[in-house]
Each structure stands twice: as C-alpha cells, then as structure tokens.
C-alpha cells in the first residue's frame, strides 16, 4: 500500500497529497465552490493536452512529468513527480561546468520544441508595456512613491517608466510555457535531468518571453539560451535575429526589466500608507528595501547595456 506522506499547497487553487517519491495527487482547495471546481477541472484537462503535445516531441534532453489521470467525479488528478530541486541560482552555481551547459541546452531545446509544437505567428509590432500592470506603475510613481523614496529615485523610475511605456519591437507569437520560474524548472544533479512542470498558463505569447524568463534572468543565462535557440530552431519556419543584432540588445534589456518590474509593481501594491500595526510596518520596510534593490538592478543593467 502506498504511503501518503503529507498535504501541501500548490499554487492558489490546489493542494497535493504526496504518494512516495514518484507520484503526487492534487485536488482543488476545499473552500472552492462548485463553479470554481468546474473551472479547475477544465484547466486540468487543458493542461493534460498541453503535456501530451510537448511529450509527443520525444526530446530526450529534458523531462516532462506525465499527468497519469484526471478523475472528474472525485475532482482529483494524479501526476508524476519531477525529480530534483527548483533550479535556483544557488543550485546552478553548485553544479559542474558541463552540467551548466547541459542545463542551458535542455532549456533551449525545450523552448524551441514548445514554440514549434504549434504554428508560429507572423511578425507583428509588440508594445512591451502591455505585459505589465502599467497603470498601477504609473499611479505609484506619480502619486505615492515619494512617500517612501528619494526624489532622485522617483525621477529615475519616472524616466524608466516612460522608456518602457514607449518601447516596441518586431516579434512573433508562439506556443509558450508562460510561467518559467525556478519553481517550475527542476534539476536533479545526481542524474543531470532537467524537468519542466506546471503548464497551466501555457498559451500563445510573444516569442522572446520564455527565452528571457524569470528563471533565465535569475541564472543570468538568457544570452546563452538565445544563442542556443538560434542554432536549434527550424529556420525554414521563422527567422530570429543574430545574437549580435543591435536591436536585440534593447529587446533583451527591456525584457529583463519586465521580469523585475512585475515584482516591483507587486511590492508597490503591498505597501501601506498608514500601516495599522507593527507587522504592517515591518512589511513596508521589507518591501521598500526590496524595491530599492530593484532600482539598483535597473541602474546597473542600463550601465551594462550602455557599453
């Protein structure tokens, strides 16, 4: 008999029942109503198809854990567990040089396979600010930021906001994972196996999004991923700019900023003008310190790309 180890949350809608080391059973949170549970099941069926499609590519350099079954009556799913650990910067730094290359190659191969598993769109003009809660950023900088930050910091962020707000580039829509953070990319150093999980957000997005994703930025491997992507992708289907293309530098720079700005905006939303208790005061201090570090990151990035 399989031993049930524990219960744990998996995102905003799901908790999991662990079965040994190989499988995990998931259910919607108990407080979800009937309509929400129905939508949860619809999402699982959609995710199942996405996993089937990418698994059908059969690329051995990366692993896609299978969704074993969906039980609509019991409102539960059974999945394979991905071996290894979230691919954080600390884990990445700890592995060998060869393993680093294998990780980069596996990630680039996965990105190409996802993008090419469904038709790739024609070239369109994309305004990068459409990916952000731009009105919230604008409102915070114009009306609230001065309560916690210096005038120089406010002026800098206003200039950055204007640059982000007007930046556009040519790109294509392609089938994408859409949620490539370190928690959804797992690595097992013992077997050198890289696994991709959580395809619930998969859909058509503009093609650079997954290449310069949260995990790529955290590991600082987005340049290597792009170079490998350009080598691996099917050039008869679509062309990608050379890694030496001048406009590509701006695309990569602003894509990194989008990753950081999403976190900046979330922290800004959490700030309290009149904190009600010490916990809220401490939360404000924590968020302000994080946002100030992000401003430093923006400035360092601009200096790096100005060279």
């Amino acid at each position: 008999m399989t031993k049930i180890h524990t219960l744990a949350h998996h995102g905003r809608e799901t908790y999991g029942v662990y079965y040994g080391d190989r499988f995990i059973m998931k259910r919607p949170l108990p407080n979800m109503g009937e309509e929400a549970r129905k939508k949860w099941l619809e999402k699982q069926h959609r995710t199942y198809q996405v996993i089937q499609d990418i698994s059908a590519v059969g690329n051995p350099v990366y692993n896609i854990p299978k969704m074993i079954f969906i039980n609509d009556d019991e409102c539960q799913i059974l999945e394979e567990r991905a071996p290894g650990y979230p691919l954080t910067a600390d884990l990445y730094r700890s592995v060998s040089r060869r393993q680093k290359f294998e990780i980069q190659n596996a990630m680039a191969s996965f990105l190409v396979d996802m993008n090419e598993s469904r038709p790739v769109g024609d070239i369109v003009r994309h305004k990068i600010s459409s990916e952000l809660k731009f009105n919230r950023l604008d409102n915070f900088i114009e009306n609230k930021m001065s309560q916690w930050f210096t005038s120089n910091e406010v002026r800098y962020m206003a200039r950055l906001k204007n640059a982000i707000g007007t930046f556009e580039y040519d790109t294509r829509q392609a089938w994408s994972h859409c949620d490539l953070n370190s928690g959804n990319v797992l690595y097992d150093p013992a077997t050198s196996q890289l696994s991709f999980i959580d395809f619930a957000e998969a859909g058509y997005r503009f093609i650079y999004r997954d290449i310069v994703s949260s995990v790529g930025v955290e590991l600082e491997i987005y340049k290597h991923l792009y170079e490998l992507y350009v080598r691996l992708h099917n050039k008869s289907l679509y062309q990608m700019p050379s890694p030496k293309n001048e406009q590509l530098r701006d695309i990569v720079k602003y894509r990194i900023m989008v990753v950081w700005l999403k976190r900046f905006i979330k922290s800004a939303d959490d700030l309290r003008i009149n904190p009600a208790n010490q916990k809220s005061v401490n939360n404000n201090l924590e968020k302000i310190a994080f946002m100030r570090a992000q401003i430093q990151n923006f400035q360092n990035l601009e200096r790096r790309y100005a060279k």
Side-chain angles (χ1 to χ4, degrees), residues 16 21 41 43 52 60 63 70 84 99 121 176-177 189 198 207 261 266 279 283 289:
D21 296 324
L41 277 171
K43 181 184 288 187
Q52 290 291 97
N63 175 51
I70 305 174
Q99 286 176 310
S176 307
H177 182 283
D198 197 352
I207 205 164
L261 276 170
K266 186 177 186 305
K279 183 178 180 181
N283 179 71

Side-chain angles (χ1 to χ4, degrees), residues 7 13-17 19 25-29 40 74-77:
L7 301 177
E13 303 174 338
T14 305
Y15 73 92
V17 182
Y19 278 65
M25 181 174 285
K26 295 179 180 178
R27 297 189 177 104
L29 294 176
W40 184 88
E74 297 294 332
C75 212
Q76 62 190 22
I77 59 175

Side-chain angles (χ1 to χ4, degrees), residues 286-297:
E286 180 182 326
K287 299 302 180 186
I288 292 165
F290 172 78
M291 294 166 73
R292 187 158 275 134
Q294 290 294 73
I295 292 172
Q296 188 64 57
N297 286 337

Side-chain angles (χ1 to χ4, degrees), residues 268-279:
D269 287 345
D270 289 341
L271 287 175
R272 297 292 175 263
I273 295 175
N274 297 305
N277 49 48
Q278 190 59 46
K279 183 178 180 181

Side-chain angles (χ1 to χ4, degrees), residues 11-283:
R12 295 183 296 272
E13 303 174 338
T14 305
Y15 73 92
V17 182
Y18 288 89
Y19 278 65
D21 296 324
R22 291 189 57 202
F23 302 104
I24 176 172
M25 181 174 285
K26 295 179 180 178
R27 297 189 177 104
L29 294 176
N31 59 356
M32 290 174 65
E34 184 175 344
E35 189 61 30
R37 289 162 67 90
K38 180 181 177 182
K39 290 181 179 178
W40 184 88
L41 277 171
E42 290 172 353
K43 181 184 288 187
Q44 306 315 312
H45 281 283
R46 178 181 175 277
T47 302
Y48 174 84
Q49 190 56 57
V50 173
I51 291 172
Q52 290 291 97
D53 290 346
I54 188 62
S55 297
V57 176
N59 195 327
V61 302
Y62 57 81
N63 175 51
I64 307 294
K66 294 180 176 62
M67 188 181 288
I68 309 300
F69 68 72
I70 305 174
N71 186 326
D72 288 49
D73 293 335
E74 297 294 332
C75 212
Q76 62 190 22
I77 59 175
L78 184 68
E79 296 179 333
E80 287 183 337
R81 291 188 68 188
Y85 311 93
L87 185 57
T88 61
D90 287 341
L91 175 58
Y92 185 74
R93 282 192 291 266
S94 73
V95 302
S96 70
R97 189 172 182 178
R98 178 179 180 82
Q99 286 176 310
K100 286 183 173 72
F101 173 78
E102 290 172 346
I103 289 170
Q104 294 169 22
N105 184 61
M107 287 188 67
S109 299
F110 169 76
L111 294 174
V112 170
D113 290 345
M114 275 294 290
N115 289 168
E116 296 180 359
S117 64
R118 300 193 184 186
V120 177
D122 295 329
I123 291 177
V124 295
R125 196 73 175 165
H126 175 51
K127 193 168 185 178
I128 202 167
S129 61
S130 65
E131 300 179 36
L132 295 165
K133 296 174 180 176
F134 196 74
N135 288 340
R136 291 190 186 181
L137 178 64
D138 186 34
N139 180 59
F140 175 74
I141 293 170
E142 295 298 322
N143 301 312
K144 299 178 182 178
M145 189 174 175
S146 60
Q147 297 180 59
W148 298 286
F149 295 87
T150 68
S151 58
N152 285 340
E153 288 169 327
V154 175
R155 281 195 296 270
Y156 175 79
M157 286 304 299
R159 182 182 66 77
L160 184 66
K161 177 205 68 177
N162 291 337
I164 285 279
T166 57
F167 182 70
E168 299 179 351
Y169 61 96
D170 291 335
T171 184
R172 303 170 187 270
Q173 284 203 332
W175 191 246
S176 307
H177 182 283
C178 301
D179 195 16
L180 287 177
N181 60 68
S182 60
N184 290 336
V185 184
L186 282 79
Y187 184 66
D188 184 358
T191 61
S192 297
Q193 186 177 64
L194 191 72
S195 299
F196 295 90
I197 64 171
D198 197 352
F199 289 80
E201 303 300 322
Y204 273 99
R205 296 293 190 278
F206 291 104
I207 205 164
Y208 295 96
R209 173 176 168 148
D210 277 2
I211 299 173
V212 190
S213 64
S214 174
V215 68
V217 171
E218 182 179 350
L219 272 54
E220 297 186 340
I221 60 173
Y222 44 85
K223 288 183 179 178
H224 301 299
L225 288 181
Y226 187 82
E227 290 168 358
L228 288 166
Y229 186 103
V230 170
R231 292 182 207 166
L232 293 169
H233 87 284
N234 186 341
K235 296 171 183 60
S236 67
L237 292 178
Y238 54 100
Q239 295 295 314
M240 296 289 287
S242 161
K244 296 180 180 180
N245 182 285
E246 193 62 32
Q247 190 189 21
L248 181 65
R249 287 175 56 84
D250 283 339
I251 294 172
V252 171
K253 179 181 76 173
Y254 284 113
R255 288 237 56 92
I256 296 169
M257 286 186 175
V258 165
V259 171
W260 290 340
L261 276 170
K262 287 180 178 179
R263 300 169 185 171
F264 187 92
I265 294 168
K266 186 177 186 305
S267 294
D269 287 345
D270 289 341
L271 287 175
R272 297 292 175 263
I273 295 175
N274 297 305
N277 49 48
Q278 190 59 46
K279 183 178 180 181
S280 293
V281 170
N282 293 339
N283 179 71

Side-chain angles (χ1 to χ4, degrees), residues 1-4 18-20:
M1 182 176 177
T2 305
K3 183 180 179 182
I4 301 176
Y18 288 89
Y19 278 65

